[in-house]
Amino acid sequence: MVNSTPYIGRFAPSPSGPLHFGSLIAALGSFLRARSLGGRWLVRIEDIDPPREIAGASDQILTTLAAYGMHWDSTVLYQSQRLDVYQQQINQLLATDNAYYCQCTRKEIKAMGGSYDGRCGTRIQPHKTGAIRIRNHYGVAQFQDQLKGTIAVDNQFAAEDFIIKRSDGLYAYQLAVVLDDIHQQITEVVRGSDLLEPTCRQISLFKLLNCPSPDWLHLPLACAEKGRKLSKQNHAAAIDVVKPQASINAALTFLGQAEVVPETDVTKMLVQAISQFDMTKVPTQSEILLIT
Ligand SMILES: [Zn+2]
């Protein structure tokens, strides 16, 4: 990379349950990438969707990361403590006519063909309540992924004025994640391939906010069956906190890396994993079926 800014990566789980093998891939992949480049690695808890959260999950995730020897730099950032920042940004976007209220129902959007057509943004008398949508001036339809090359999405999806605050008052993931990546000065986002498409929307927001986008690197997803990633929603088993050695090696194998010698002190395993980490060996497909 010709970029001379110091590398800053991150792992950003939502506290909807304990870490499972799928989230371990994202954690370890982002950690190894950052450390192998001599960079910093930050942790952010994405806790802005209370209905999906489980009490105690944040602490459990952090305890698990520590048990796996993945020690983060700086303090953990909690999105729930940043709501004022999100709201201020939304106020500014509304004030500059870069966002608007929308009252369209799901049914109405379905009748538009499934993609929102921007009708509330052209009203002579704008709504004063409802969901808030961005004026998607940039309509980003493709980007470069560090692992997968050019990623292109459907033009209609790319152009859509997407929601940045829901009608129920919850802040949308797209807005929060971009504001936090700016705040934490993230230079590269390493995460699962389920977030490939939303990346275009996030780049649109970076442009609208006049901030440089980080680089993007999307890892393969661990799937129990085709099209179904391991997730808290489908009850993926929590990874072993007491004996992490086997899971670390399984995750390394998944990421195309050589296994390391099992050690009681897992930080020694990670030192070895960092020194031999080879990005070019990470599989480029979006999904890998686990053989169980
Ligand atoms: Zn509308």
Side-chain angles (χ1 to χ4, degrees), residues 100-105 109 112 116 118-121 127 133:
Y100 61 88
Y101 286 100
C102 166
Q103 294 185 350
C104 295
T105 62
I109 292 166
M112 295 171 206
Y116 179 67
R119 64 180 62 172
C120 290
H127 294 302
R133 291 181 181 271

Side-chain angles (χ1 to χ4, degrees), residues 31-32 69 260 266-277:
F31 176 84
L32 293 176
V260 293
V266 290
T267 54
K268 286 183 184 167
M269 293 179 72
L270 292 191
V271 167
Q272 200 190 330
I274 291 163
S275 72
Q276 66 190 39
F277 184 66

Side-chain angles (χ1 to χ4, degrees), residues 43-77:
V43 172
R44 175 196 314 155
I45 300 288
E46 299 197 325
D47 54 348
I48 47 163
D49 194 356
R52 288 186 55 226
E53 285 155 23
I54 291 177
S58 297
D59 289 345
Q60 201 180 358
I61 288 169
L62 296 175
T63 306
T64 305
L65 289 176
Y68 274 69
M70 287 184 269
H71 299 289
W72 54 91
D73 296 305
S74 189
T75 49
V76 174
L77 186 71

Side-chain angles (χ1 to χ4, degrees), residues 21 24 68 239-240 243-253 259 262-263 266 269:
F21 187 71
L24 174 63
Y68 274 69
I239 47 175
D240 193 337
K243 289 182 185 166
Q245 288 81 1
S247 296
I248 289 174
N249 268 327
L252 286 171
T253 302
E259 289 194 1
E263 301 264 4
V266 290
M269 293 179 72

